[in-house]
């Protein structure tokens, strides 16, 4: 898996999750509200699939370009722009879905999904950070630069790539936690503890365990 495949994988998981959630929404949902947070317009629930679809198509195009180039050409700015677009689209999509689960009618006052507004940006930042963590140069500064990992370039690469994948999984789970919390539990503070636990267990501890396992075959 490389950068474009990671982008495409995240976008694919994202659109599947959005598609599933849409079936639990009312046929007409809030898509526009004023500065007083009063609903001004209702629209079809399928409106929420537009951004994730564009996101998936864009990442597919990047993947196809990379396949044709055989990944020999590095386009750093291509990935930076893609990540910014993914972060903005994901944040807007899931914040709106959390709002739409409130089943608002015209003139109703929106209750902002506070957990989504806090945790989703953190999850997207973490996605970017852990993604680049997966491409650390051998023996550079890294939170996974353990002694047993530094002994082998292969162990280093596999450890950091595994950390990158775990980070993506953790980011997705954090987004799910935020949405479920705002929809079902009305912004309980436990969501932040769960998010922190996901970071510690899914990202760090799983990556640490993975580093030990992959290093055994390269440290005689």
């Amino acid at each position: 898996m490389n950068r474009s495949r990671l982008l495409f994988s995240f976008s694919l998981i994202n659109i599947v999750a959005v598609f599933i959630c849409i079936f639990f929404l009312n046929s007409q949902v809030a898509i526009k509200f004023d500065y007083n947070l009063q609903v001004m317009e209702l629209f079809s629930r399928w409106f929420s699939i537009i951004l994730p679809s564009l996101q998936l198509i864009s990442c597919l195009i990047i993947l196809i370009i990379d396949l044709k180039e055989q990944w020999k050409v590095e386009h750093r700015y291509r990935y930076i722009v893609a990540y910014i677009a993914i972060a903005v689209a994901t944040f807007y999509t899931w914040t709106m879905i959390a709002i739409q689960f409130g089943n608002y009618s015209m003139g109703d006052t929106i209750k902002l999904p506070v957990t989504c507004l806090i945790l989703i940006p953190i999850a997207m930042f973490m996605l970017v950070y852990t993604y680049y963590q997966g491409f650390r140069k051998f023996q550079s500064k890294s939170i996974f630069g353990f002694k047993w990992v530094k002994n082998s370039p292969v162990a280093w690469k596999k450890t950091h790539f595994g950390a990158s994948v775990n980070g993506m999984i953790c980011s997705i789970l954090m987004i799910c936690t935020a949405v479920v919390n705002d929809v079902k539990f009305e912004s309980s503070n436990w969501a932040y503890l769960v998010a922190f636990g996901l970071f510690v267990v899914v990202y760090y501890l799983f990556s640490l365990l993975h580093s030990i396992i992959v290093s055994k075959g390269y440290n005689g």
Side-chain angles (χ1 to χ4, degrees):
M1 185 183 292
N2 48 54
R3 297 186 178 192
S4 53
R5 283 178 178 169
L6 191 63
L7 288 171
F8 180 74
S9 298
F10 177 83
S11 299
L12 182 61
I13 295 171
N14 184 61
I15 196 172
V16 170
V18 170
F19 192 78
I20 292 172
C21 286
I22 284 176
F23 281 103
F24 295 95
L25 295 173
N26 287 342
S27 58
Q28 296 287 309
V29 296
I31 65 165
K32 186 177 180 182
F33 41 91
D34 60 19
Y35 62 92
N36 290 320
L37 301 181
Q38 290 186 326
V39 178
M40 297 177 60
E41 189 173 351
L42 299 177
F43 203 73
S44 170
R45 61 185 177 180
W46 294 104
F47 178 86
S48 298
I49 206 71
I50 295 176
L51 269 182
S53 299
L54 294 175
Q55 176 178 317
L56 182 67
I57 292 170
S58 300
C59 290
L60 179 60
I61 292 173
I62 292 175
L63 178 59
I64 292 173
I65 292 173
D66 279 349
L67 284 170
K68 288 185 176 181
E69 294 174 346
Q70 296 298 313
W71 295 286
K72 294 178 181 178
V73 181
E74 176 67 22
H75 291 280
R76 185 178 300 273
Y77 294 109
R78 175 193 298 167
Y79 300 114
I80 292 175
V81 172
Y83 262 112
I84 293 173
I86 284 176
V88 173
T90 302
F91 176 68
Y92 176 82
T93 297
W94 286 105
T95 300
M96 289 301 296
I97 286 178
I99 288 174
Q100 290 162 2
F101 267 110
N103 299 327
Y104 295 104
S105 301
M106 289 289 293
D108 289 348
T109 299
I110 295 288
K111 181 180 179 182
L112 288 177
V114 178
T115 314
C116 286
L117 295 176
I118 295 173
L119 283 187
I120 294 180
I122 293 175
M124 298 313 299
F125 172 80
M126 181 180 171
L127 178 69
V128 176
Y129 172 76
T130 56
Y131 166 77
Y132 280 102
Q133 189 76 33
F135 297 90
R136 292 279 187 182
K137 292 182 179 180
F138 181 50
Q139 294 188 341
S140 62
K141 290 184 178 180
S142 169
I143 61 174
F144 298 111
F146 308 113
K147 181 175 66 175
W148 56 88
V149 173
K150 288 183 176 180
N151 290 338
S152 166
V154 178
W156 177 279
K157 182 177 180 180
K158 288 187 175 182
T159 292
H160 284 78
F161 174 74
S164 184
V165 174
N166 289 339
M168 185 184 78
I169 294 172
C170 183
S171 299
I172 293 170
L173 293 176
M174 285 177 66
I175 293 172
C176 294
T177 298
V179 175
V180 170
N181 185 60
D182 279 324
V183 171
K184 294 292 184 181
F185 303 106
E186 298 184 355
S187 299
S188 167
N189 291 330
W190 283 103
Y192 304 106
L193 294 176
V194 171
F196 180 74
L198 288 172
F199 177 83
V200 172
V201 176
V202 177
Y203 176 56
Y204 191 78
L205 292 184
F206 279 10
S207 299
L208 172 61
L209 180 61
H210 180 250
S211 76
I212 296 172
I213 294 173
V214 301
S215 297
K216 285 183 178 180
Y218 303 98
N219 295 311

